[in-house]
Structure formats: C-alpha cells, structure tokens
Amino acid sequence: GGGAAGLMAAVSAAEAGADVTLLERNEKLGKKIYITGKGRCNLTNACDPDTFRKNVVKNPRFLYSALDALPPEGLIAWMESHGCPVTVERGQRAFPRSQKASDVTRAFERELRRLGVRIMLNARVRSLVTENGRCVGVALESGESLRAGAVIVCTGGRSYPSTGSTGDGWAWLEGCGHTVYPALPSLVGLESPARWVREMTGLSLKNVRATLFHGKKKLYTELGEMLFTHFGVSGPLMLSASAYMTELAPEDVSLTLDLKPGLTREQLDARILRDVAEAPKKQLGNLLCGLFPARLADAVALLCGLDAQKPSGALGREERMRLVDKTHALEIPISGTRGLDEAIVTRGGVSVKEIVPSTMESRLVSGLYVAGELLDVDALTGGFNLHIAFATGCLAGRAAAENTL
C-alpha cells in the first residue's frame, strides 16, 4: 500500500539498503493523504512522546518503540530536509507550510525515486504467499507473483474506502492466522434523537467544554469547538468524544456541554442578575441572547422549562439556578455514531498481541510485517493517527530491511 505507512516503510527499508518494491492498488500514491486535514494534511502533532501517548485511545503502550524510531520532531525534520517545510499551528498540529497535502506525497515520491524503489501502480494483491511459516511474497490479481524476503502490509483500515482502504489486508492477515477485531468507526459525528439538537443545524460553538460519561465514570473532557448538524453533533470535540464510545452502547453513555466553562456558578449567576437588573422588562429569550447564540438561547430556555416571552425581571431564584445548571451541563442525547463511511479512522484491526512492537513483525508468520491503520491502535484528532502510520511504517521498514540483508 502506498499510503502514509507504506510510503514511510518503503523509504525506510530502502534507506537501510533493501531492494524495495512498492505496490499500490490506485492510479497514484498517497490518495488518502490528499484528503487528510481537509486537504492540508495534519501530518503529526509536535508534542512530547508522553503527551502523544495520552492522546492514543487504544493500545498506547504498543507504540513505545515506534515513537522512539520516529518521534514527531523526527518526522518534521525528515519532511523539511526532503523539501516540505512544516508549520506548527494551534494545538501543536503540524501541517505543510504550503497548506497542500500533495507536497507531503511529493516529498516521498522524490525520495522513492532517488532510492531506486520500484513503484507498481494499479497493482492489486490477491493474497500473501507463505511457505513453512514464512511470508515469501504476494500473489497479484493479474496472475503474477512477486517473491520477497519480507512483506510489509500497509493497506489501511476501512475508513474512506474510496481511497482503497477496503479491509483487504485484514482478510490476508486472517488467512495467516491473525486475530482481527471488527472494524468500527472512530473520529466520527454523533447522532442525536433530540429534535432541538437537529434544529441547531449549522450552528458552531467555540470555547465550550464537552464531557463524556460512561455511567458515573468520566471518559473524556476537553475544551474546544463543535458543530450542530442535521444528524446530531460533529466538529473536533465530538469527533474526539466518539473515539471513547465506539465500543460502548449509546444508552450507557451521556454527553454534556459546559457552555460557559470560563465562569464559575457564582460568576454566571452574578452575570445573569446583572443583565436582569439592567433590563428587567426585556423578554427573557432576548436577554439570554447575550449569553448564547439566538437559536440556542431559545432551546436553553425551553430545556429549563422557562417562558422565553416573560419579562426577565420575573425570573425567580429557582429558575435562575436551573439556568445556571443547564448552562454548565447541557445534556446532548446521543443515539449512536455515524458509520464507517464517514469515519476519519477505524477502530479495530490486527491484535497488537500478535505483533512484535519493536519491529512490527508478525509473531505468527516470520518475514511478515504490519503497519498503519491495520493495527488495533487509534488516537484522537490532531495529527496523531497519521503520525502512528508514519512511525509504525518507519519501524517496519527498518526491521524488514535488516531481516532480508
């Protein structure tokens, strides 16, 4: 596969002296890279390894060796030394300075050519070829077979299937005896059955805090941005929240928004009292527009059981406390997540217990390596998932080269 993991694996193996052939089923390399970060390619997150692992939701400990082999600063340095300057933006998110994902792929293509890597486009693999417990090549749908001292499988999960990530690699690995956990959507919008939520379609909120609970256990809390949609909620906060509820039943989780996280209860109450004192005859709904966007103000009043038409001066203490409570903990009913066809990454994949973390080699079949989204590892938004692909590909490429030389 010629995605992030496959490109870095091919480069790393060739740099280590191996004779490398890169097989890509599409007509060009890096098809998924082109659409990441809305075409800008958030290629990594410029944080330290400990912070990086805290943003990995599934199997973070598996990545110790991969992050040692290629830490974020190492990937940034590699990109810049290969003609793709990098800029770091809010949240330590790293992008090509040109803001063009195509420049990332071009940097790899130049290096692949320099290293003499053989690139086969429109090459569809039918199966892996194994002999006596070792992977010795691949069989193509064209009928051709390629022999190899080692094979690295980097075909991606099932997110964005139009880019070629159709789960084929999992079928080949299952055929070799590997355990493959079901593909589930992660980093995806959340569906809500609440009419008031869908009536907010198109409204975006900034500097709000989302908190996700499983029963009374807090799974996730973060400050950021979100978006109301025709199906429910999306945006960075909701995408990250989805990563924690992928394997949970919707009825077992609850999601709340703190609409004014910068104010304590006392400060918020004082703010409301001040607004009321300044305009006691103003309709409550209009008064709340000073706290929230107009459409949301009406919804909050309704959810608090308040009459938005009455004068704000008639607002009693108990009603005010309900308003304070709802502002700091507005519950968003959730009925599930959107599907795999809309997911940014895939949860599930090859059990990491069956992969050697220091080399990415299969524990079941020698000479077989796995990298990228095929692994049961996934993280939050911010460049972490793409970096995992680059880092595991780097480690697999180096180890495979060493195994064949």
Side-chain angles (χ1 to χ4, degrees):
L7 289 171
M8 186 58 85
V11 164
S12 300
E15 285 178 340
D19 178 20
V20 180
T21 298
L22 176 58
L23 304 171
E24 168 55 50
R25 65 177 287 165
N26 291 311
E27 73 287 353
K28 64 180 180 180
L29 298 174
K31 205 165 182 180
K32 190 180 288 187
I33 290 176
Y34 281 100
I35 62 174
T36 60
K38 296 180 180 177
R40 297 170 60 218
C41 189
N42 181 192
L43 55 96
T44 186
N45 191 286
C47 62
D48 61 85
D50 284 342
T51 301
F52 192 106
R53 282 187 291 271
K54 287 177 183 176
N55 281 273
V56 179
V57 181
K58 194 75 180 288
N59 295 317
R61 295 178 61 83
F62 178 75
L63 295 173
Y64 272 93
S65 294
L67 291 175
D68 282 344
L70 185 67
E73 66 269 21
L75 177 61
I76 291 172
W78 190 95
M79 295 306 307
E80 297 200 319
S81 67
H82 288 81
C84 182
V86 173
T87 184
V88 177
E89 300 181 5
R90 182 172 54 87
Q92 297 295 88
R93 298 171 186 234
F95 296 86
R97 190 176 300 164
S98 66
Q99 304 292 296
K100 294 180 180 178
S102 55
D103 285 353
V104 174
T105 305
R106 287 195 187 101
F108 278 100
E109 289 175 328
R110 287 193 297 270
E111 185 64 1
L112 290 171
R113 286 195 298 269
R114 188 188 72 81
L115 292 166
V117 172
R118 181 188 180 205
I119 300 172
M120 295 178 62
L121 300 176
N122 298 304
R124 293 180 174 246
V125 174
R126 186 177 70 244
S127 63
L128 304 175
V129 178
T130 59
E131 293 177 0
N132 301 318
R134 183 176 183 85
C135 190
V136 295
V138 297
L140 304 182
E141 289 184 0
S142 64
E144 182 183 2
S145 291
L146 301 178
R147 301 283 293 188
V151 173
I152 308 172
V153 185
C154 313
T155 56
R158 284 214 176 101
S159 58
Y160 298 114
S162 62
T163 64
S165 296
T166 55
D168 291 354
W170 285 327
W172 308 333
L173 293 164
E174 277 187 311
C176 293
H178 275 285
T179 301
V180 176
Y181 297 114
L184 300 170
S186 188
L187 302 188
V188 67
L190 304 178
E191 296 181 337
S192 175
R195 181 178 175 181
W196 75 264
V197 171
R198 297 193 299 275
E199 287 176 345
M200 298 294 115
T201 296
L203 176 66
S204 62
L205 301 178
K206 296 182 178 181
N207 299 316
V208 295
R209 177 172 292 278
T211 304
L212 185 72
F213 294 92
H214 182 221
K216 293 184 178 180
K217 181 182 179 183
K218 187 184 296 183
L219 296 179
Y220 166 80
T221 184
E222 190 60 69
L223 186 74
E225 302 177 17
M226 63 155 292
L227 173 71
F228 288 96
T229 72
H230 68 283
F231 58 77
V233 287
S234 189
L237 282 178
M238 300 301 122
L239 296 181
S240 289
S242 76
Y244 291 91
M245 61 175 292
T246 293
E247 296 171 306
L248 301 174
E251 59 269 22
D252 294 336
V253 300
S254 59
L255 176 69
T256 62
L257 285 183
D258 186 343
L259 299 171
K260 295 292 177 183
L263 299 177
T264 63
R265 288 181 57 84
E266 293 74 19
Q267 290 170 331
L268 178 58
D269 188 31
R271 161 77 184 274
I272 296 170
L273 282 171
R274 185 180 73 243
D275 290 349
V276 169
E278 290 176 353
K281 295 182 179 180
K282 197 178 209 179
Q283 284 189 346
L284 181 59
N286 292 333
L287 185 89
L288 293 180
C289 289
L291 277 175
F292 318 113
R295 280 190 292 165
L296 187 59
D298 289 340
V300 171
L302 181 66
L303 292 168
C304 289
L306 303 177
D307 180 2
Q309 306 298 317
K310 76 176 184 179
S312 59
L315 187 68
R317 185 182 184 283
E318 183 183 336
E319 292 175 316
R320 213 172 61 244
M321 290 301 100
R322 291 209 302 271
L323 185 56
V324 169
D325 290 341
K326 195 66 69 176
T327 301
H328 279 313
L330 177 65
E331 185 168 356
I332 307 290
I334 298 298
S335 55
T337 68
R338 299 296 275 176
L340 267 173
D341 56 332
E342 295 182 25
I344 294 176
V345 297
T346 308
R347 164 71 53 81
V350 177
S351 169
V352 296
K353 294 178 181 179
E354 298 168 0
I355 304 296
V356 180
S358 59
T359 62
M360 297 295 134
E361 186 174 18
S362 164
R363 295 185 188 274
L364 309 182
V365 182
S366 62
L368 175 61
Y369 298 78
V370 184
E373 204 178 353
L374 285 173
L375 297 163
D376 186 21
V377 181
D378 62 272
L380 302 182
T381 58
F384 301 102
N385 289 288
L386 200 52
H387 186 93
I388 289 169
F390 285 127
T392 55
C394 174
L395 194 55
R398 292 175 185 174
E402 185 177 330
N403 194 359
T404 57
L405 296 175

